[in-house]
Amino acid sequence: MHHYKVIIFDWDGTVMDSVERIVSSMLSAAKDVALTVPTVDQIKQIIGLSIPEATKKLFPQSTPEQAEALRLSYKKHYVEIDETPTPLFSHAEQLFTDLLAQGKYLAVATGKGRDGLERVFELSNTKHYFHTSRCAKECKSKPDPDMLNQILTELNIDASEAVMIGDTTHDMLMAKNANVDRIGVTFGVHDHQALSEYQPKAIVDSLLALSNLLVKS
């Protein structure tokens, strides 16, 4: 799998171990806004979607005012209140370094907002690894292929020369909709069985295993 010119990463659950913080913050936000509190599994299923799309799925009866209050409360909990650690997954920076050394383009396609991505870029000191990124509100939400199409257009790279790395079925379906190859990772939200339904080129259990696939020895 060394022919890809651009490797596109999801963020939460793929690069950063942030799933538990997302779940905890959403649980708190739902309580703050007095909406029916979803289960942990229900919240995990919407990770990767934009906040508006996630809200529609989790709280279909919510009003626009409740949806906005939820968004603000979730952001406050995630950024200011919740202290659940969100480290990079093991081997992430070495993988980025090795791929760049071999002339690859790196990109991020995430359901985070731009301010959220820039904040975690700064906290993890990783922005310099990536040539471009696309976030919620800048594009249609996953699984629409808009994020990937915009990245490929910007970098002037054909879909056949790209691969999407992600931990959710939203990532896999987005890539499939864009005619982009995909690799699933099992250390985020969805398991091997769920990811395999979207015909990924591979499914790996660690970023080291991903490195073994993508980096020439």
Side-chain angles (χ1 to χ4, degrees):
M1 298 187 184
H2 300 152
H3 70 284
Y4 298 115
K5 290 184 178 179
V6 59
I7 293 85
I8 306 167
F9 292 88
D10 170 56
W11 191 266
D12 294 306
T14 300
V15 172
M16 180 169 276
D17 188 4
S18 48
V19 170
E20 296 308 316
R21 188 162 178 168
I22 292 170
V23 169
S24 177
S25 298
M26 186 59 76
L27 287 171
S28 297
K31 293 175 185 176
D32 288 349
V33 183
L35 290 168
T36 300
V37 178
T39 66
V40 169
D41 185 64
Q42 286 173 329
I43 295 172
K44 285 185 176 181
Q45 299 314 306
I46 58 83
I47 292 176
L49 300 177
S50 66
I51 284 291
E53 288 300 313
T55 301
K56 289 178 187 177
K57 289 184 178 295
L58 284 177
F59 313 102
Q61 304 304 319
S62 62
T63 65
E65 292 77 16
Q66 288 173 317
E68 177 61 9
L70 181 82
R71 183 187 70 82
L72 294 173
S73 178
Y74 170 78
K75 182 177 180 180
K76 184 174 182 64
H77 279 282
Y78 190 92
V79 175
E80 300 177 21
I81 299 174
D82 199 297
E83 296 182 349
T84 306
T86 57
L88 295 177
F89 284 110
S90 178
H91 205 74
E93 291 197 75
Q94 187 62 54
L95 173 60
F96 302 151
T97 299
D98 291 344
L99 289 169
L100 288 176
Q102 295 188 356
K104 307 297 185 180
Y105 289 98
L106 303 186
V108 172
T110 177
K112 284 184 174 300
R114 173 56 59 184
D115 59 341
L117 181 61
E118 293 297 333
R119 186 181 62 83
V120 295
F121 271 162
E122 182 177 354
L123 289 173
S124 60
N125 191 28
T126 52
K127 185 173 183 176
H128 62 284
Y129 292 115
F130 299 100
H131 295 85
T132 191
S133 57
R134 288 296 186 278
C135 300
K137 292 189 178 179
E138 299 170 353
C139 311
K140 295 178 182 177
S141 178
K142 299 175 184 180
D144 191 281
D146 190 31
M147 284 189 187
L148 298 187
N149 290 339
Q150 287 195 29
I151 288 171
L152 295 176
T153 297
E154 178 183 343
L155 298 177
N156 193 28
I157 289 176
D158 189 79
S160 64
E161 300 174 311
V163 63
M164 175 72 200
I165 315 298
D167 68 305
T168 71
T169 56
H170 311 305
D171 299 314
M172 299 298 99
L173 182 54
M174 174 178 66
K176 187 174 183 179
N177 288 339
N179 294 314
V180 167
D181 285 350
R182 48 220 167 263
I183 297 175
V185 302
T186 61
F187 43 82
V189 172
H190 289 139
D191 61 17
H192 191 287
Q193 181 177 353
L195 296 168
S196 67
E197 295 181 16
Y198 298 89
Q199 299 84 45
K201 290 295 182 181
I203 299 174
V204 298
D205 299 323
S206 69
L207 290 181
L208 180 59
L210 180 63
S211 177
N212 292 336
L213 292 177
L214 295 178
V215 178
K216 293 179 182 179
S217 57

